């Protein structure tokens, strides 16, 4: 009986070790980073961040990144330079799986104007949380939570710089690339609001 108990304990420990290894392998497969977007983020313009998903595995994966109003991505900040906006939820958001080949990365721009009102220029620390659905060929989607912090600098910006931002995104509206076009539409929502003030 004593030997049977020892065998059961060893089996449970082996199972736990195996599950921990699987979890570690999953987290090592995908690398998430969030950085400041524009070279110059403008106080009265658009403030962007770039999410990079890197596939470190030896097989292709597909991820779901909802856009432009993601329920699976949130931002917070304790900075006095920003005011957090009420969270907008989209019950009917959709996304097409994005394929990322082995060893490659995919980037998408999220505009922080959706999440914050920027009150003053300066350095701001932003916290993000992402629930990412990942699928490997033939597998079922698995959700993994990622959290992190990044810094961005808000510049006051001149009227000319804000106008230049506006013109660049207006040009991007004509792009054949759907991702660039969607990002331009999102940016112009905030730039038009500034121009109307």
């Amino acid at each position: 009986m004593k030997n049977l108990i020892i065998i059961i304990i060893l089996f449970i420990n082996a199972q736990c070790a195996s599950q921990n290894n699987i979890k570690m392998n999953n987290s090592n497969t995908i690398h998430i980073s969030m950085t400041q977007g524009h070279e110059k983020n403008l106080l009265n313009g658009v403030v962007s961040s770039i999410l990079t998903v890197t596939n470190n595995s030896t097989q292709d994966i597909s991820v779901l990144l909802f856009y432009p109003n993601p329920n699976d991505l949130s931002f917070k900040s304790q900075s006095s330079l920003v005011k957090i906006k009420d969270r907008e939820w989209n019950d009917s958001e959709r996304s097409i799986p994005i394929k990322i080949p082995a060893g490659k990365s995919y980037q998408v721009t999220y505009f922080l104007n959706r999440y914050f009102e920027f009150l003053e220029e300066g350095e701001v620390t932003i916290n993000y949380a992402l629930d990412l659905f990942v699928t490997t060929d033939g597998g079922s989607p698995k959700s993994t939570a990622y959290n992190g912090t990044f810094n961005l600098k808000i510049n006051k910006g001149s009227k000319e710089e804000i106008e230049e931002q506006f013109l660049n995104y207006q040009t991007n509206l004509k792009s054949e690339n759907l991702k660039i076009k969607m990002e331009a539409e999102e940016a112009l929502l905030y730039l038009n609001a500034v121009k109307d003030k």
Side-chain angles (χ1 to χ4, degrees), residues 65-121:
L65 286 171
F66 297 99
Y67 199 88
N69 183 8
N71 291 341
D72 54 343
L73 176 62
S74 61
F75 295 95
K76 291 183 180 177
S77 178
Q78 299 298 317
S79 174
S80 61
L81 304 181
V82 301
K83 179 182 175 185
I84 298 175
K85 292 181 177 178
D86 288 337
R87 180 83 185 266
E88 296 177 26
W89 294 92
N90 186 351
D91 293 333
S92 61
E93 67 176 7
R94 295 287 182 268
S95 178
I96 297 170
I98 299 157
K99 193 168 186 175
I100 307 176
K104 300 293 183 183
S105 296
Y106 178 83
Q107 290 188 328
V108 63
T109 300
Y110 288 98
F111 295 97
L112 297 175
N113 306 71
R114 180 176 284 276
Y115 304 89
F116 302 104
E117 182 182 339
F118 294 92
L119 307 173
E120 294 179 50
E121 58 185 315

Side-chain angles (χ1 to χ4, degrees), residues 36 75-82 84 112 116 118 122-128 148-154:
Q36 172 171 306
F75 295 95
K76 291 183 180 177
S77 178
Q78 299 298 317
S79 174
S80 61
L81 304 181
V82 301
I84 298 175
L112 297 175
F116 302 104
F118 294 92
E123 296 274 349
V124 178
T125 299
I126 306 288
N127 301 305
Y128 70 89
T149 302
F150 66 101
N151 296 318
L152 56 87
K153 185 175 181 183
I154 309 297

Side-chain angles (χ1 to χ4, degrees), residues 7 22 31 41 43 46 50 54 59 62 77 84 88-89 104 115-116 120 127 133 148 154-155 160 163 173 176 196:
I7 290 169
I22 290 167
H31 180 262
N41 285 298
L43 181 62
V46 288
I50 296 176
T54 303
Q59 57 185 325
S62 293
S77 178
I84 298 175
E88 296 177 26
W89 294 92
K104 300 293 183 183
Y115 304 89
F116 302 104
E120 294 179 50
N127 301 305
F133 284 90
I154 309 297
N155 298 277
E160 291 76 21
E163 184 65 26
L173 272 181
E176 298 283 325
D196 292 342

Side-chain angles (χ1 to χ4, degrees), residues 115-181:
Y115 304 89
F116 302 104
E117 182 182 339
F118 294 92
L119 307 173
E120 294 179 50
E121 58 185 315
E123 296 274 349
V124 178
T125 299
I126 306 288
N127 301 305
Y128 70 89
L130 172 68
D131 288 322
L132 187 67
F133 284 90
V134 182
T135 309
T136 53
D137 287 340
S140 56
K142 292 183 181 175
S143 175
T144 305
Y146 297 89
N147 298 283
T149 302
F150 66 101
N151 296 318
L152 56 87
K153 185 175 181 183
I154 309 297
N155 298 277
K156 186 170 184 180
S158 65
K159 285 185 178 179
E160 291 76 21
E161 286 175 312
I162 293 167
E163 184 65 26
E164 185 181 348
Q165 249 190 12
F166 184 82
L167 291 173
N168 287 341
Y169 282 113
Q170 266 198 329
T171 302
N172 288 352
L173 272 181
K174 300 169 187 169
S175 173
E176 298 283 325
N177 185 314
L178 181 61
K179 185 163 84 77
I180 291 172
K181 193 171 184 174

